[in-house]
Amino acid sequence: MELLNDMALFVEVVKAKGFRGASEATGVPNSTLSRRISMLEKAIGLRLLHRTTRKVELTEAGQIYFERCKRIVDEAKLAHEQLGEMLAQPSGLLRASLPVDFAVTYMAPLIAEFAGRYPGITFDFDLTSRQVDLVSEPFDVAIRMGQPENSRLIARPVASLLPHLYASPQYLKRSGKPKEPAELKQHECLNIVRGGLWALQRGAKSVQVSVGSRFTVNNVGLIRRLATLGMGIVLVPREIVADDLAAGRLVPVLPDWHGKPMPVYALTETRLLPAKTQRFIEFLKERLGKV
């Protein structure tokens, strides 16, 4: 048990990138942490950390040991927590990274429902589209739309959304309403990539349309806003523009046609998840899977 405790302290020192941060996180004094890590190095027979006055860095052996230790410590914590679940609901702080527009427009009511179901969980949400580092940053899970870019992460599918075409009533009044996908070539088609093709489907039939626009924007929120201001047609999941549709700021275009399904994933650094994270992913899969 003492060895496991020392391994856990070593993991905290590495995660905090120093003894001071680890001391604040664990409540163990700096001097005790330093002594315990030194004893651990002596028992192993290899130096794990390079120490300087400002920071500590992993040696080659330390990097290997840290990766193994982190998994062992995570599994030990998980085993302890799973036993505790017999007596109590999941609890603790859930840190999650969420896509901005999808979270604000569609996930907010789901988050409120989940919070009501599990009153013991508190939340720290970071709304961003950047690829957060789930290893070095303190996130339990990241929800992302589209195919995951990092193959080292564990990707769990939670939903598949169908993009449809939408535009504002004023744009359609000014530019006309397309009756076939080919007519999109004559329209402003707001895109999140430069130029390109829109692949559309209607039942078993599929077409590709070359689209263009005066605007190329890498943010779905701005694309949606430009569409509501009459600047063109967008191809996005209904869930992204639900509020705009309800308010009449956008209306469907070519409603029988849709784009390629857009997957939604829950990304984690490990398969060993605490109960709070497991429940959150299960809940999203349950609710978003009905979309």
Side-chain angles (χ1 to χ4, degrees):
M1 183 60 72
E2 185 174 353
L3 174 60
L4 183 59
N5 288 337
D6 287 347
M7 291 166 67
L9 292 178
F10 171 69
V11 169
E12 290 299 327
V13 169
V14 175
K15 288 167 63 177
K17 299 180 181 178
F19 289 95
R20 179 178 296 179
S23 178
E24 293 174 355
T26 63
V28 178
N30 269 359
S31 57
T32 303
L33 280 173
S34 181
R35 178 172 53 82
R36 295 282 290 274
I37 299 304
S38 294
M39 291 174 62
L40 185 61
E41 289 175 322
K42 186 176 180 180
I44 296 171
L46 290 170
R47 182 172 291 280
L48 302 173
L49 299 173
H50 289 304
R51 297 166 174 81
T52 69
T53 55
R54 293 188 176 183
K55 61 181 179 179
V56 297
E57 293 182 346
L58 286 168
T59 63
E60 183 179 357
Q63 181 64 48
I64 296 172
Y65 195 65
F66 169 71
E67 293 173 358
R68 294 292 182 90
C69 284
K70 187 176 184 300
R71 294 192 180 279
I72 292 170
V73 170
D74 286 348
E75 190 164 0
K77 288 180 179 178
L78 185 60
H80 182 79
E81 183 183 75
Q82 285 178 336
L83 290 176
E85 281 186 70
M86 296 179 183
L87 300 174
Q89 284 192 322
S91 61
L93 177 62
L94 176 67
R95 295 184 176 93
S97 174
L98 309 174
V100 181
D101 299 289
F102 187 57
V104 172
T105 304
Y106 194 75
M107 288 185 65
L110 302 184
I111 291 169
E113 182 182 346
F114 181 79
R117 185 180 296 187
Y118 298 106
I121 298 178
T122 55
F123 303 90
D124 183 352
F125 291 134
D126 178 71
L127 272 60
T128 179
S129 58
R130 70 182 179 88
Q131 297 298 315
V132 297
D133 188 340
L134 293 174
V135 178
S136 63
E137 296 184 68
F139 292 108
D140 298 299
V141 61
I143 305 301
R144 288 291 177 265
M145 303 176 73
Q147 292 294 333
E149 296 179 9
N150 192 335
S151 60
R152 296 185 297 111
L153 299 177
I154 308 301
R156 297 170 173 83
V158 296
S160 181
L161 309 180
L162 277 182
H164 285 82
L165 296 159
Y166 304 99
S168 69
Q170 60 265 40
Y171 173 83
L172 296 176
K173 182 178 180 180
R174 183 178 72 247
S175 302
K177 195 169 187 177
K179 298 180 174 58
E180 295 292 337
E183 296 178 23
L184 291 172
K185 294 177 182 180
Q186 282 75 52
H187 284 266
E188 284 283 330
C189 294
L190 302 171
N191 214 343
I192 58 172
V193 295
R194 192 173 299 278
L197 299 173
W198 277 359
L200 300 175
Q201 295 176 254
R202 183 181 65 185
K205 185 177 181 180
S206 62
V207 298
Q208 287 191 329
V209 183
S210 178
V211 297
S213 169
R214 295 166 59 198
F215 301 94
T216 299
V217 184
N218 66 349
N219 178 270
V220 175
L222 182 54
I223 287 288
R224 183 191 68 178
R225 184 75 176 119
L226 288 172
T228 65
L229 294 171
M231 300 309 294
I233 300 172
V234 290
L235 177 64
V236 294
R238 176 183 58 83
E239 293 74 22
I240 294 292
V241 295
D243 291 347
D244 296 316
L245 290 171
R249 292 185 292 267
L250 293 176
V251 295
V253 175
L254 298 173
D256 294 336
W257 293 86
H258 62 80
K260 291 182 179 179
M262 178 180 293
V264 180
Y265 287 93
L267 305 178
T268 61
E269 185 265 334
T270 176
R271 296 186 185 277
L272 300 171
L273 301 179
K276 61 187 179 184
T277 310
Q278 289 185 34
R279 297 294 178 271
F280 186 62
I281 294 174
E282 290 166 359
F283 174 81
L284 292 182
K285 190 170 184 178
E286 168 195 334
R287 297 305 306 276
L288 292 177
K290 296 177 181 178
V291 171

